[in-house]
Amino acid sequence: EGEPGIAESRLTAQSVESVEQPADLGPKDPKDPYGFYLHVYGDPAAVIYQVREVKKFFPTSPIYVMSDGGLDFSALCAKEGCTFVLCPPANDRWHPWPFFRRLFDAAVSLNTKYVIMLEPDNTVHDYIKRPPPADVGGLLVTGR
């Protein structure tokens, strides 16, 4: 059923349960302007940790997890209250349309003022203390 190899890559509820959950430390503002788009493929431990860290600092913010033809994180999102979409694989480096379409779909689903895109190798250390001064941006990295 479904795509070849996808059935073997499903996370089980038991594997999701086995990862310790963080304490809830973030603000409780229901009008939180931030939504999180996680562009993932594999790395289940990193994805589980990242979803829970986002929830720790942004407990009222919606999270949209999109797997680019990789693992199925539907069990994680059912448990953690996020949205999960499994898409067919796309090589975004050669044709950017799938990347932009998926980002657009996430933005529509999240329905927030700001969309913060994360990949499994990004970490979240705290709640955002200053609102962004512009509509689009990133992190300033000296020397880059």
Side-chain angles (χ1 to χ4, degrees):
E1 295 170 297
E3 305 244 346
I6 296 297
E8 296 83 13
S9 66
R10 294 188 194 284
L11 291 178
T12 65
Q14 184 178 23
S15 65
V16 171
E17 288 289 333
S18 68
V19 179
E20 185 178 327
Q21 291 193 19
D24 184 12
L25 302 176
K28 296 289 189 194
D29 182 4
K31 297 179 184 153
D32 200 327
Y34 307 110
F36 291 85
Y37 169 52
L38 282 58
H39 186 119
V40 304
Y41 180 80
D43 304 312
V47 174
I48 292 168
Y49 180 77
Q50 187 175 62
V51 166
R52 292 187 174 156
E53 284 297 289
V54 169
K55 290 181 70 65
K56 173 180 170 182
F57 296 112
F58 299 86
T60 61
S61 293
I63 301 171
Y64 184 99
V65 179
M66 186 283 300
S67 179
D68 186 17
L71 296 178
D72 181 341
F73 291 98
S74 56
L76 171 67
C77 284
K79 178 171 176 32
E80 298 295 339
C82 53
T83 300
F84 175 72
V85 176
L86 180 61
C87 293
N91 190 342
D92 300 1
R93 295 168 294 191
W94 297 106
H95 184 41
W97 187 90
F99 172 82
F100 288 117
R101 179 63 208 208
R102 292 167 183 186
L103 181 59
F104 172 80
D105 291 343
V108 169
S109 175
L110 292 167
N111 193 27
T112 55
K113 183 172 183 178
Y114 299 103
V115 173
I116 299 170
M117 181 181 161
L118 299 173
E119 293 186 337
D121 61 344
N122 302 135
T123 56
V124 178
H125 300 275
D126 204 346
Y127 188 79
I128 295 171
K129 294 177 177 44
R130 291 183 315 230
D135 288 341
V136 176
L139 296 175
L140 176 63
V141 178
T142 306
R144 181 169 72 171

